[in-house]
Amino acid sequence: FAFSKATTPQDPDATLFINTLEARPYLYYSHQERISKKQEIKFRIMQDFRFFKKEDECYQYGNLRPRIMLEYNFNISSKFTLRAFDEVLFNALGRTRVNTFDQNRIGASTQFNINKNNSFEIGYANWYQKQKDGFTYLNKNICRVTYQKRLQL
């Protein structure tokens, strides 16, 4: 389950922006296959159920968003991993009728494992997204830095 706050529209030329709160329960299936001692491939199919907060404080169903991701990991050592990924997102069963293809996110990163429960990751992602008009695309270059903490419950 995820909560997010997104600024829309995702348009660099826009002059008016709206912050939208979203509740997003999701289901996913993930599979990873070790190719060798240092290499693995991960595959994930994910289904987002998107609900957007309205002015009356209620959340309203927006759409489904199926996602498919393929990831390749190369473990340089126990401390460093190189990663490359491609994820395609679609819109389905909702208000969005024009842009069935939603996004393609392709990128690479390096992960540094501090220990088995803590790591840092720095990477680049190219985010290619179809706009609401159904004809134009937004192409973003994103640098991301992530801290990951694995909880032992």
Side-chain angles (χ1 to χ4, degrees), residues 6 16 21 34 41 46 58 85 88 91 93 95 148:
L16 178 64
L21 296 174
R34 188 159 295 282
I41 294 213
M46 187 168 171
C58 293
F85 65 89
V88 180
N91 286 313
L93 300 177
R95 299 174 289 161
Q148 298 170 348

Side-chain angles (χ1 to χ4, degrees), residues 10 91 96 98-104 127-139:
Q10 299 271 338
N91 286 313
T96 308
V98 179
N99 64 339
T100 303
F101 165 80
D102 185 29
Q103 302 172 31
N104 187 30
W127 183 345
Y128 188 71
Q129 183 175 26
K130 195 169 197 179
Q131 299 299 284
K132 284 187 177 185
D133 65 11
F135 303 106
T136 58
Y137 293 87
L138 181 62
N139 191 11

Side-chain angles (χ1 to χ4, degrees), residues 41-106:
I41 294 213
K42 293 182 178 181
F43 173 75
R44 182 184 74 198
I45 298 174
M46 187 168 171
Q47 178 63 66
D48 291 342
F49 301 88
R50 303 180 76 195
F51 294 86
F52 299 98
K53 192 167 189 177
K54 297 298 174 191
E55 291 178 19
D56 63 2
E57 299 298 314
C58 293
Y59 282 86
Q60 180 181 5
Y61 169 76
N63 65 303
L64 299 179
R65 186 164 63 183
R67 307 163 68 149
I68 300 169
M69 184 183 71
L70 186 62
E71 180 178 289
Y72 170 78
N73 292 328
F74 182 80
N75 299 313
I76 296 172
S77 68
S78 62
K79 293 286 185 187
F80 287 99
T81 301
L82 297 177
R83 178 171 292 125
F85 65 89
D86 190 2
E87 183 175 25
V88 180
L89 295 82
F90 302 93
N91 286 313
L93 300 177
R95 299 174 289 161
T96 308
R97 304 247 187 266
V98 179
N99 64 339
T100 303
F101 165 80
D102 185 29
Q103 302 172 31
N104 187 30
R105 301 174 184 176
I106 188 167

Side-chain angles (χ1 to χ4, degrees), residues 115-119 146-152:
N115 55 41
K116 71 176 192 170
N117 295 323
N118 295 280
S119 63
T146 308
Y147 169 73
Q148 298 170 348
K149 170 72 175 167
R150 193 177 295 224
L151 300 174
Q152 305 293 327

